[in-house]
Amino acid sequence: MGEINIADRSVLKDIRDVVIDTSKPCIDRVKTYIEQIGNPYCYLDNGVVVQIGYADTPVSLQDRLVSYASSIDNAVGNL
């Protein structure tokens, strides 16, 4: 596991303030998002710091989500 970095909340942008023109081409929407959010890996969402990271692992996100959904199904009982 990597080291957890504590973000300076005062410099983070809130994703709720990001406005994207969905009529624009995808590449323009991505550029606009990056311009507005600043760091797409660390931002605020309703005052909560969201920090995104990736692990070097052969397990895919889809595999993890299936495993997670299965654990909920088993723990709660057929959602």
Side-chain angles (χ1 to χ4, degrees):
M1 283 262 163
E3 180 180 321
I4 296 176
N5 297 320
I6 305 301
D8 180 356
R9 298 168 78 81
S10 69
V11 298
L12 298 179
K13 305 289 174 58
D14 196 305
I15 199 164
R16 296 175 305 157
D17 297 329
V18 174
V19 178
I20 304 295
D21 182 350
T22 57
S23 68
K24 301 282 186 183
C26 181
I27 190 69
D28 293 338
R29 294 190 310 250
V30 170
K31 286 179 184 178
T32 300
Y33 172 76
I34 298 296
E35 289 169 358
Q36 291 181 57
I37 202 70
N39 181 352
Y41 300 103
C42 191
Y43 54 87
L44 294 173
D45 186 354
N46 198 23
V48 176
V49 175
V50 175
Q51 192 166 11
I52 300 171
Y54 300 93
D56 185 14
T57 176
V59 181
S60 71
L61 176 59
Q62 182 173 351
D63 292 339
R64 295 274 188 207
L65 291 173
V66 167
S67 176
Y68 176 67
S70 295
S71 72
I72 292 174
D73 186 47
N74 290 335
V76 178
N78 297 331
L79 292 176

